[in-house]
């Protein structure tokens, strides 16, 4: 078959169907069972500092985090949790709050029932409770608290704190095998086994399977894919997916995107987090934006209008188009909290801001609305395309505000009409 024959038979690649999973309700947010892949995040404040934790939780929620996790590691943190939830509610922020417990969660949940009631979900790491040891009283206590207060539980295995007893046993069994695996492969299997055995233990204590979310986090992309493929094939629990300790800056973003994109494309993952290391005094909400952009780039969910902009080259020695693209993207993000309620579907809007005549007009025509700016030595005019057709040509020093005005009018006319149609029905 020739090249043309292959092109004629070409079909766009779509994400695989979502993996079948149980629905878990977390404070009114439904995870799994075909519901939209949920974005979550975690604070890095001292939870005992109510003001700081409330402020960061609100920032994460306003950025689009649908669940926020906080560390509950001390008596002071446990006492602060009800105050945090109450203060958030006073500000109209009702994002579900998840408590992250390690080592002493069984003590804190029993000692502070108001904390246990206020949280929307508990996160338990079986590697540092006591699963696999001679008794599992601590793990059982936390599960019994979850049942008593009607809370779901995320059983989150992490290879940095894997159940040592289980790993040792599986290593010994592997060594006696006729065809032993390497240590890395056994470790990956132990991570999956730890999650599944812990979930079954929780069920044996009375926790319903639809109150369980599983995660099995590692810090290497290929290992992440291997572990979650294995885990997804062996259970129907809702899965939280993320690369643990993803890293700083571009490394963390790229690694997270690489791992999550593969799994999400295969239909694996009901809720996600980007565990990015923030820069000193950096913006914690970046991890929310990264998750949203991964989902939006894959066409799984839409959160905000997207701006297509060229990278620039020798034809675009001016930085004007870069500045304009940034101003428009910022304008769109700023307007989204208002537009979301006024204009249903506006998050699917596609905008193009291009730097020269090479791809500018074509890319603009493929977007809902686009502008092709003049490159170096080109005629100083900027054609604007709306729904694939030339609308007008802008000139002079007011190109940016004039284009934004056209953009605002387009949003009102196109998506405002949807709102009116919905109201009429």
């Amino acid at each position: 078959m020739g090249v043309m024959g292959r092109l004629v038979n070409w079909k766009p690649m779509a994400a695989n169907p979502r993996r079948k999973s149980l629905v878990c309700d977390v404070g009114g947010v439904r995870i799994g069972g075909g519901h939209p892949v949920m974005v979550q995040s975690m604070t890095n404040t001292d939870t005992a500092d109510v003001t700081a934790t409330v402020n960061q939780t609100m920032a994460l929620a306003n950025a689009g985090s649908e669940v926020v996790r906080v560390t509950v590691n001390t008596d002071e943190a446990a006492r602060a949790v009800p105050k945090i939830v109450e203060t958030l509610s006073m500000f109209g922020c009702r994002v579900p709050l998840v408590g992250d417990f390690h080592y002493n969660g069984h003590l804190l949940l029993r000692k502070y029932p108001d904390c246990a009631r206020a949280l929307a979900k508990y996160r338990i790491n079986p590697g540092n409770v006591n699963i696999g040891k001679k008794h599992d009283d601590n793990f059982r206590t936390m599960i019994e608290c979850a049942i008593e207060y009607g809370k779901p539980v995320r059983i989150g295995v992490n290879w940095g704190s894997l159940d040592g007893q289980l790993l040792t046993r599986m290593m010994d069994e592997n060594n006696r095998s006729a065809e032993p695996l390497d240590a890395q492969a056994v470790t990956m299997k132990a991570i999956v086994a730890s999650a599944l055995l812990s979930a079954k233990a929780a069920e044996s204590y009375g926790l319903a399977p639809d109150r369980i979310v599983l995660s099995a986090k590692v810090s290497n992309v290929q290992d992440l894919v291997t572990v979650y493929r294995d885990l997804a094939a062996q259970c129907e629990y809702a899965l939280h997916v993320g690369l643990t300790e993803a890293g700083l800056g571009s490394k963390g973003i790229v690694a997270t995107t690489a791992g999550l994109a593969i799994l999400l494309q295969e239909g694996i993952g009901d809720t996600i987090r980007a565990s990015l290391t923030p820069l000193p005094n950096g913006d914690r909400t970046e991890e929310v934006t990264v998750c949203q952009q991964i989902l939006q780039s894959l066409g799984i969910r839409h959160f905000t209008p997207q701006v297509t902009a060229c990278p620039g080259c020798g034809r675009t020695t001016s930085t004007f188009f870069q500045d304009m693209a940034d101003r428009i993207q910022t304008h769109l993000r700023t307007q989204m909290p208002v537009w979301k309620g006024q204009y249903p579907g506006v998050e699917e809007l596609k905008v193009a801001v291009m730097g020269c005549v090479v791809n500018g007009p074509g890319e603009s025509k493929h977007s809902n609305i686009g502008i092709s700016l003049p490159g170096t030595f080109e005629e100083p005019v900027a054609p604007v395309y709306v729904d694939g057709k030339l609308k007008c040509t802008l000139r002079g020093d007011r190109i940016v505000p004039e284009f934004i005005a056209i953009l605002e009018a387009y949003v009102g006319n196109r998506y405002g009409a949807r709102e009116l149609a919905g109201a009429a029905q």
Side-chain angles (χ1 to χ4, degrees):
M1 181 184 293
V3 174
M4 289 304 296
R6 291 198 298 271
L7 291 175
V8 169
N9 295 325
W10 177 86
K11 292 182 180 180
M13 184 174 66
N16 292 333
R18 290 278 299 282
R19 160 187 168 271
K20 182 182 178 181
S21 63
L22 300 170
V23 180
C24 182
D25 187 291
V26 180
V29 176
R30 291 179 172 267
I31 300 173
H35 289 278
V37 178
M38 188 267 286
V39 173
Q40 64 177 275
S41 59
M42 185 175 183
T43 61
N44 62 354
T45 57
D46 179 356
T47 306
D49 186 337
V50 174
T51 300
T53 304
V54 165
N55 287 339
Q56 191 173 86
T57 299
M58 289 182 63
L60 291 166
N62 290 335
S65 184
E66 292 154 302
V67 164
V68 175
R69 182 158 48 111
V70 299
T71 297
V72 187
N73 60 334
T74 63
D75 291 73
E76 293 77 14
R79 282 196 293 265
V81 165
K83 299 176 185 177
I84 292 168
V85 174
E86 180 183 2
T87 306
L88 288 169
S89 181
M90 289 173 57
F91 282 104
C93 180
R94 291 175 173 79
V95 64
L97 213 64
V98 176
D100 193 61
F101 295 98
H102 297 271
Y103 307 108
N104 61 351
H106 59 294
L107 300 175
L108 296 175
L109 286 170
R110 281 296 183 212
K111 188 176 180 179
Y112 299 99
D114 287 347
C115 170
R117 277 190 289 266
L119 292 167
K121 185 175 71 170
Y122 311 151
R123 190 269 183 162
I124 305 173
N125 184 337
N128 54 35
V129 183
N130 59 4
I131 285 286
K133 298 181 181 178
K134 291 183 179 179
H135 65 85
D136 61 355
D137 296 346
N138 298 352
F139 179 81
R140 181 169 187 159
T141 296
M142 298 180 76
I143 297 301
E144 288 174 346
C145 286
I147 295 169
E148 179 180 351
Y149 297 109
K151 308 298 181 181
V153 171
R154 170 156 77 94
I155 296 174
V157 179
N158 192 304
W159 75 342
S161 50
L162 184 58
D163 182 343
Q165 296 278 351
L166 174 65
L167 180 59
T168 299
R169 185 171 72 250
M170 292 184 65
M171 286 290 187
D172 290 342
E173 291 172 355
N174 179 68
N175 290 335
R176 293 192 295 268
S177 172
E179 297 181 4
L181 304 172
D182 62 38
Q184 181 78 354
V186 177
T187 301
M188 296 303 106
K189 288 185 175 297
I191 291 170
V192 174
S194 176
L196 294 175
L197 290 171
S198 300
K200 291 305 177 185
E203 284 193 57
S204 74
Y205 302 143
L207 189 64
D210 64 354
R211 306 298 280 164
I212 297 172
V213 178
L214 289 189
S215 67
K217 291 192 172 183
V218 297
S219 57
N220 177 278
V221 171
Q222 296 292 358
D223 291 337
L224 183 82
V225 173
T226 297
V227 164
Y228 272 94
R229 282 174 175 167
D230 195 4
L231 189 61
Q234 296 189 55
C235 71
E236 290 189 352
Y237 301 113
L239 297 182
H240 167 79
V241 181
L243 198 69
T244 191
E245 294 102 26
L248 185 73
S250 60
K251 184 270 179 186
I253 294 172
V254 172
T256 296
T257 302
L260 265 60
I262 294 170
L263 293 169
L264 290 168
Q265 185 71 12
E266 294 180 3
I268 299 172
D270 301 296
T271 172
I272 62 173
R273 181 192 171 205
S275 299
L276 305 178
T277 303
L279 294 168
N281 301 315
D283 189 350
R284 188 69 169 181
T285 64
E286 181 182 29
E287 65 178 52
V288 179
T289 305
V290 168
C291 283
Q292 290 179 333
Q293 194 58 57
I294 291 170
L295 292 171
Q296 187 144 343
S297 296
L298 291 171
I300 293 173
R301 288 187 69 181
H302 295 276
F303 298 93
T304 187
Q306 296 290 283
V307 174
T308 298
C310 65
C313 66
R315 290 175 175 270
T316 55
T317 53
S318 168
T319 60
F320 179 76
F321 84 94
Q322 298 164 334
D323 176 67
M324 183 172 181
D326 180 59
R327 288 169 66 180
I328 290 171
Q329 182 72 75
T330 300
H331 179 79
L332 292 170
R333 284 197 171 275
T334 302
Q335 291 296 104
M336 269 307 293
V338 177
W339 284 355
K340 190 180 294 184
Q342 292 181 341
Y343 304 126
V346 70
E347 64 274 5
E348 298 180 20
L349 176 69
K350 295 180 181 178
V351 180
V353 180
M354 302 299 292
C356 77
V357 73
V358 173
N359 293 318
E363 194 68 56
S364 297
K365 291 175 184 177
H366 289 307
S367 300
N368 298 113
I369 179 169
I371 184 169
S372 178
L373 297 169
T376 307
F377 305 122
E378 290 178 13
E379 185 181 356
V381 297
V384 176
Y385 294 84
V386 173
D387 291 331
K389 297 180 180 180
L390 179 64
K391 175 180 176 62
C392 62
T393 300
L394 302 181
R395 297 176 173 83
D397 299 329
R398 291 187 48 79
I399 287 180
V400 176
E402 287 176 3
F403 181 75
I404 289 177
I406 295 171
L407 174 61
E408 290 273 0
Y410 180 84
V411 168
N413 291 333
R414 174 164 180 162
Y415 299 100
R418 292 189 187 183
E419 182 184 33
L420 293 173
Q425 295 174 355

